[in-house]
Amino acid sequence: MNQAMRNSSGFKSRSVTATSIDQLFSILRKYSFCILLFAFVLVSRSLTSGPAYFADGPGHLKAISDRTFVIQPPGYWLFNRLAALFPNPERAILVFNWLVSACGAVVFYRIGQLTVAPYMAKLSAILYASVFFAWFSGNVHSTYASQLLFPLLTIYLMLRFRRSPSSFLVVGVGLSFAIGAGLRPSDGAFLGPLILYFAIRYLSKRQAAICLLTAAVGCLLWLIPNLIALHHLQTRSFPSQVGIVATGSILLGHFNLFTFSNALRFFLPLAIALGPILPFAFMSHSPFRKMLWVAILPGSAFFLLVYISDAPYLNFLLGAT
C-alpha cells in the first residue's frame, strides 16, 4: 500500500511538472515575437555603441562627476541622477538606453496589436526597431532614447484603459507621463495636451483627479531639485538659450536658412523612416486616431515653427506617427 501511495505521489509530481513545462512553453509561444524583438534591439544596440562623444553626452558625464546633475536648461536632473547611482555612469547610461530602446520596441508592437491587423503590427514593429535615428539614439549617451519608451508607454496604458478600465492603468498613465517628462522635459510639454485630453474625454472626475495628481506629484519630485540645481549652475541663461533656439522661428517672423533647415530636419528623416510603411498607414481605421493626433501635433508644431536640432528629436513622434 505504501508503495502504491509513493507511486501515486510520484505520478502526480511528474504530472504537475509536465503541466508547468507546457504552460511555460505556451507563454513563450504567445510572447515569442516580443521576446525576439526585445533581444534583437538589445543586442544590436549593445554591439554598435561606443564611448561618449555625441551632443550632450560629455556634458551629462561632467554634470554627474561634478555632482550638479544638470547641464543647460531644461537640465535633465532625473536622467543624470539615476546614472549617478551606478559605479560607472557612462556604462549605466548606455545600458539604460539599450533597455528603453528594446522595451520601447515591444510597447510599440503591443500598441499595434490593439490598433491594426496582426501582420501590420509585426511589420511596423520591425521597421520601428530599425529606424536609423532611433537606433542611433540607443548608441549614444543622451536622453533621446527615453523618448522611444515613455511616450509610447503612456499611450499604450491609455489604450489599455479604453479596452478594460482600471484604477491601476489610470495611475500608470500618470506615472509614465511623469517619468518620461523627468527624463526629457520636452516630452512633458508635448504630451501635456494628450494627458489632459485623456482625462477630460475618457475618465470620470475621480479618475481624472487621480491621474493628473499622480502626474503632478511625480513631476514635482524631479522638477524641484532640477530647478534648484539649475539656479546654482553657471551656464547659459534660459532667455539667452531661447534666443538661440528662436533664430529661425517662423512664429517670430524669421524666414531664413535656419527656417529651411528646421523644416528639412523634420521632414527628411521622417520620410526616410516612414516611407516603407506609408502605404499601410492608410489601411488603418483605428478608433484611437484622434488620440494619436493629439500626441503628434504639439511636438510637430514646435519642431516646424520653432526649433529642431537633429533627427533623434523625432523619436518623440516616431511611435505615434
Side-chain angles (χ1 to χ4, degrees):
M1 183 175 179
N2 289 337
Q3 182 65 35
M5 290 178 66
R6 284 195 294 270
N7 290 339
S8 175
S9 176
F11 177 76
K12 288 180 179 178
S13 177
R14 288 192 296 273
S15 298
V16 170
T17 302
T19 301
S20 299
I21 293 174
D22 289 341
Q23 290 175 343
L24 176 61
F25 277 108
S26 177
I27 293 171
L28 290 175
R29 283 194 298 269
K30 182 178 179 180
Y31 295 104
S32 59
F33 185 82
C34 291
I35 295 170
L36 291 173
L37 184 65
F38 181 91
F40 165 72
V41 176
L42 185 65
V43 172
S44 63
R45 278 26 167 204
S46 64
L47 292 177
T48 53
S49 296
Y53 71 94
F54 179 75
D56 295 327
H60 286 297
L61 295 178
K62 186 177 186 305
I64 295 169
S65 176
D66 295 343
R67 309 300 290 179
T68 60
F69 305 117
V70 290
I71 52 176
Q72 76 276 0
Y76 309 108
W77 180 88
L78 180 61
F79 180 80
N80 293 322
R81 194 66 188 84
L82 289 174
L85 296 176
F86 298 89
N88 187 339
E90 182 176 0
R91 175 58 60 173
I93 290 175
L94 275 182
V95 173
F96 174 79
N97 285 347
W98 299 342
L99 290 172
V100 294
S101 296
C103 291
V106 173
V107 173
F108 180 87
Y109 171 63
R110 297 290 289 170
I111 290 175
Q113 288 183 305
L114 296 176
T115 57
V116 296
Y119 79 94
M120 288 178 60
K122 290 182 177 180
L123 174 62
S124 298
I126 293 171
L127 293 173
Y128 178 80
S130 306
V131 169
F132 69 97
F133 55 82
W135 187 312
F136 178 74
S137 299
N139 295 151
V140 295
H141 299 72
S142 179
T143 60
Y144 293 130
S146 68
Q147 297 178 290
L148 298 172
L149 173 60
F150 291 100
L152 281 179
L153 181 60
T154 303
I155 293 172
Y156 173 69
L157 294 173
M158 290 177 177
L159 299 182
R160 282 289 307 274
F161 178 86
R162 293 287 295 123
R163 294 291 185 95
S164 52
S166 77
S167 298
F168 172 78
L169 293 173
V170 170
V171 173
V173 168
L175 285 176
S176 178
F177 172 85
I179 295 171
L183 293 170
R184 192 164 176 85
S186 59
D187 286 4
F190 298 155
L191 270 184
L194 176 63
I195 196 170
L196 288 175
Y197 171 82
F198 174 72
I200 295 170
R201 179 71 176 81
Y202 296 115
L203 302 182
S204 66
K205 291 182 179 180
R206 178 177 176 276
Q207 290 171 332
I210 293 173
C211 180
L212 297 178
L213 186 61
T214 301
V217 171
C219 286
L220 286 175
L221 291 176
W222 61 259
L223 182 60
I224 292 173
N226 188 87
L227 292 175
I228 293 173
L230 282 174
H231 177 72
H232 295 291
L233 185 68
Q234 299 299 319
T235 185
R236 291 180 301 190
S237 66
F238 186 70
S240 68
Q241 196 167 11
V242 170
I244 295 171
V245 167
T247 303
S249 172
I250 297 176
L251 289 179
L252 298 180
H254 296 159
F255 296 93
N256 49 38
L257 185 60
F258 294 102
T259 307
F260 175 75
S261 62
N262 265 2
L264 194 63
R265 284 193 294 265
F266 178 83
F267 286 114
L268 186 58
L270 281 181
I272 296 172
L274 302 178
I277 61 172
L278 194 59
F280 298 97
F282 299 99
M283 298 170 60
S284 172
H285 300 285
S286 169
F288 306 114
R289 274 187 172 183
K290 186 178 294 186
M291 183 184 293
L292 296 180
W293 276 113
V294 175
I296 292 169
L297 290 178
S300 298
F302 179 86
F303 294 149
L304 280 172
L305 301 179
V306 182
Y307 179 76
I308 177 174
S309 174
D310 42 50
Y313 274 49
L314 297 171
N315 288 341
F316 175 82
L317 303 172
L318 189 60
T321 306

